Amino acid sequence: MLISKVELENIKNYETASYEFEEGVTAISGPNGAGKTTILEAIAYALFDSLPYKKEDFLKRGTKKGMVRVTFVSAVDGREYTVYRDTANGYYVFDPI
């Protein structure tokens, strides 16, 4: 699986953010508290419904709902998919074909 894009909305310290990744090794760097771990947690949440804490702690303060969208190329069939998950139990996988 090649993760090509991660989009966040109202997640921890991110109001909105979008990151695109290329094939190969990716390094995420920044100062402490910048949100590096949040990006990895968002990927785990979107793909595996896994968070190491309550959903309420995953939300940006003062918001009621957050959203994560992860786009990836499948190693099984080589096609691109987008997984959407929000903190209000919304979830779907988008197949553009």
Side-chain angles (χ1 to χ4, degrees), residues 38-85:
T38 301
I39 296 168
L40 298 176
E41 291 171 343
I43 293 168
Y45 178 65
L47 298 180
F48 308 110
D49 193 22
S50 173
L51 278 177
Y53 41 76
K54 298 183 295 185
K55 281 186 202 178
E56 294 80 22
D57 296 334
F58 193 50
L59 284 171
K60 183 172 180 63
R61 288 184 189 200
T63 62
K64 301 235 185 252
K65 181 178 168 183
M67 174 280 301
V68 177
R69 191 177 295 123
V70 176
T71 302
F72 66 93
V73 177
S74 170
V76 174
D77 59 14
R79 293 173 43 196
E80 185 176 79
Y81 298 91
T82 299
V83 175
Y84 168 93
R85 187 178 300 271

Side-chain angles (χ1 to χ4, degrees), residues 2-65:
L2 168 67
I3 295 174
S4 57
K5 189 173 189 179
V6 176
E7 299 169 86
L8 310 171
E9 185 176 306
N10 294 327
I11 300 297
K12 284 194 170 179
N13 59 332
Y14 293 102
E15 188 171 328
T16 59
S18 180
Y19 299 98
E20 294 192 27
F21 303 105
E22 300 289 326
E23 189 172 347
V25 176
T26 298
I28 301 172
S29 65
N32 289 344
K36 302 176 298 291
T37 302
T38 301
I39 296 168
L40 298 176
E41 291 171 343
I43 293 168
Y45 178 65
L47 298 180
F48 308 110
D49 193 22
S50 173
L51 278 177
Y53 41 76
K54 298 183 295 185
K55 281 186 202 178
E56 294 80 22
D57 296 334
F58 193 50
L59 284 171
K60 183 172 180 63
R61 288 184 189 200
T63 62
K64 301 235 185 252
K65 181 178 168 183

